[in-house]
Amino acid sequence: MNTTDTALLQAVADERTRQTIDLMRRNTIDHLLLGNADNIRFVSNYRSLIIHETADHMYCVMNEAGEADIFGPHLREPYENKDPTTPAVREVHPLSGWVPGMSEPRTTIKTLARAIGGARHVGYDAIHPELLHGLQSELPTVRFTYIGASLMDVRRVKLPGEITLMEAACAQNQDALGAAFASAAPGVSDRELLAAALEQQQRLEAELITHSTCNVRAQFGNWFPNGSTMVQGQAIFIDQVYYGPGGYASDLTRTKFVGEPPAQVLDAYRRLVEVAHTVADAAKPGTTTVFLDELLNESLRRNGLAPSPYGLGHGIGLRVMEPPSLVQRDLVDDAVALRHGEVIALEPETSVDTDSGTVVLKVEDCFRVEDSGLRPLGPQASVEDVILDP
């Protein structure tokens, strides 16, 4: 695929706007007020996520005709939008400069109240309670309804064009992981490893890189690079997110070994990969996320492995972690069933105790849910080529 195919990107954006208008009509909503960067991207194709502030930084107001106005801190005067990639956007307006919207609440409230003045029914997502209260005071005849969950539900099933873009993101993320592991050797630090991945990501078509974690002799929960260096026989894993063309995410994790690891560690990794494939093989439309998470830990225990310290995985798209959540039953409202066409990331993890300490092992891949089961969006983690030649 030519990932710079503007026709594909535009077709996907246009269909997302159409889906948004349909959602508004079903809920008799005549305006949307959105503060989440990924929702703004979904409805208008406007790229507001240029830094890590994913909410309370920029806003989108969309009317029932699918016409949007964007409010952000990166300009002094409003301007008419002429960008052909964002035809839904009419104008871009200045907002309080360089700070969260609620740092300047009165100005933010008055600016947005003017934009939705005349509305009857406004759907909103990640809007600060004080901002919402102020808008209700300014516009007492307007009805405000939370629409965030419904909008995320629409986003669960991906369009064919979205799948194409996500496959491209996975391929580019794989390339970056390959560049990182090619630099692995005793004495190389975790920061140097991730620098190699970052360089390759920038050589490709990275739109955004939100995190790269690298476990080098670290326990669970301490994945961020700290300058630790690799030693012979060590297990390392990199978990990294890569946002490719159109803003779609890929979330991949690979475990590798710097030279021959202890036999018990390599055997545990092989069993982890087998469990990952077992769980993926059991997934299809109608299978509940809770069942799959339970199957993960049952399979790990049957294979003599420690249970995963967190849930099996999550949906993925314009946001790296979207519904559904594949976790234990007491952490979700309902046991949600998988849907045909959605994309999920599965990331089983385990650990093994050795004489020199606990070794953390993990794999992660992205899949499209299809009637026949899960289809990986790229090559899956395997037991092949996991020992790096130092």
Side-chain angles (χ1 to χ4, degrees):
M1 178 197 116
N2 176 9
T3 53
T4 58
D5 186 343
T6 55
L8 171 63
L9 294 169
Q10 194 57 60
V12 168
D14 290 345
E15 180 60 19
R16 294 193 316 237
T17 300
R18 187 199 63 76
Q19 290 178 315
T20 302
I21 295 171
D22 287 347
L23 174 65
M24 294 172 70
R25 288 173 178 167
R26 290 197 301 271
N27 289 274
T28 64
I29 286 171
D30 54 78
H31 282 73
L32 289 179
L33 173 59
L34 304 177
N36 258 353
D38 46 295
N39 280 337
I40 293 172
R41 185 65 174 271
F42 183 84
V43 307
S44 71
N45 206 38
Y46 187 85
R47 182 180 173 182
S48 62
L49 182 56
I50 59 175
I51 50 180
H52 289 292
E53 283 79 6
T54 59
D56 197 26
H57 179 67
M58 301 186 79
Y59 298 93
C60 172
V61 173
M62 175 174 276
N63 65 25
E64 56 194 331
E67 299 167 330
D69 289 314
I70 302 296
F71 298 82
H74 306 120
L75 65 158
R76 191 178 295 275
E77 299 289 339
Y79 67 87
E80 181 182 353
N81 178 53
K82 298 184 183 300
D83 183 350
T85 68
T86 55
V89 178
R90 297 184 300 186
E91 289 188 330
V92 182
H93 305 263
L95 197 64
S96 300
W98 312 115
V99 293
M102 283 313 300
S103 295
E104 305 286 350
R106 295 192 303 275
T107 301
T108 302
I109 289 167
K110 287 186 179 300
T111 299
L112 295 178
R114 285 195 298 268
I116 58 178
R120 301 176 304 279
H121 188 187
V122 175
Y124 67 91
D125 65 347
I127 304 302
H128 192 286
E130 289 300 314
L131 174 58
L132 185 61
H133 176 74
L135 288 171
Q136 289 174 325
S137 297
E138 289 278 332
L139 304 167
T141 64
V142 177
R143 175 186 172 197
F144 289 86
T145 299
Y146 176 68
I147 198 70
S150 296
L151 186 54
M152 290 301 298
D153 191 63
V154 169
R155 292 172 51 183
R156 275 184 63 180
V157 174
K158 301 300 187 282
L159 303 164
E162 290 180 293
I163 298 298
T164 300
L165 293 169
M166 295 185 74
E167 288 172 332
C170 282
Q172 292 163 351
N173 204 1
Q174 292 270 15
D175 286 347
L177 285 168
F181 287 121
S183 70
V188 173
S189 74
D190 50 12
R191 296 187 186 280
E192 292 173 299
L193 206 67
L194 294 181
L198 180 61
E199 179 180 4
Q200 182 66 5
Q201 288 170 334
Q202 295 296 350
R203 290 182 185 279
L204 297 169
E205 296 187 61
E207 180 173 297
L208 185 74
I209 300 159
T210 56
H211 75 266
S212 295
T213 60
C214 181
N215 188 309
V216 175
R217 297 195 309 283
Q219 300 298 316
F220 164 74
N222 186 24
W223 300 344
F224 297 103
N226 57 18
S228 296
T229 56
M230 288 164 256
V231 298
Q232 183 74 18
Q234 180 186 350
I236 54 176
F237 75 67
I238 297 177
D239 180 348
Q240 69 182 19
V241 173
Y242 174 92
Y243 287 81
Y248 286 92
S250 163
D251 192 2
L252 300 178
T253 303
R254 292 292 181 266
T255 294
K256 301 283 185 180
F257 302 96
V258 184
E260 188 76 26
Q264 70 181 114
V265 174
L266 184 58
D267 181 60
Y269 172 76
R270 287 172 172 159
R271 282 179 282 153
L272 172 64
V273 172
E274 291 175 2
V275 168
H277 290 175
T278 295
V279 174
D281 289 345
K284 60 183 179 180
T287 306
T288 68
T289 56
V290 169
F291 168 78
L292 292 172
D293 183 71
E294 292 173 348
L295 177 61
L296 166 66
N297 287 302
E298 289 172 2
S299 299
L300 288 171
R301 284 190 289 268
R302 283 200 303 269
N303 281 272
L305 299 173
S308 177
Y310 44 73
L312 170 61
H314 51 85
I316 184 170
L318 286 172
R319 189 185 182 106
V320 69
M321 286 181 282
E322 299 182 352
S325 180
L326 289 88
V327 297
Q328 65 204 54
R329 180 66 185 88
D330 61 342
L331 294 181
V332 291
D333 291 352
D334 299 296
V336 175
L338 295 181
R339 297 178 187 172
H340 174 87
E342 66 187 345
V343 177
I344 57 175
L346 303 183
E347 47 182 314
E349 179 180 315
T350 191
S351 59
V352 56
D353 293 326
T354 70
D355 292 340
S356 57
T358 300
V359 178
V360 180
L361 304 169
K362 179 181 177 180
V363 295
E364 182 176 16
D365 286 292
C366 296
F367 303 86
R368 181 177 189 259
V369 181
E370 299 184 347
D371 288 340
S372 57
L374 298 187
R375 177 175 68 81
L377 298 191
Q380 289 181 254
S382 74
V383 298
E384 305 297 328
D385 301 321
V386 294
I387 300 176
L388 304 172
D389 184 2

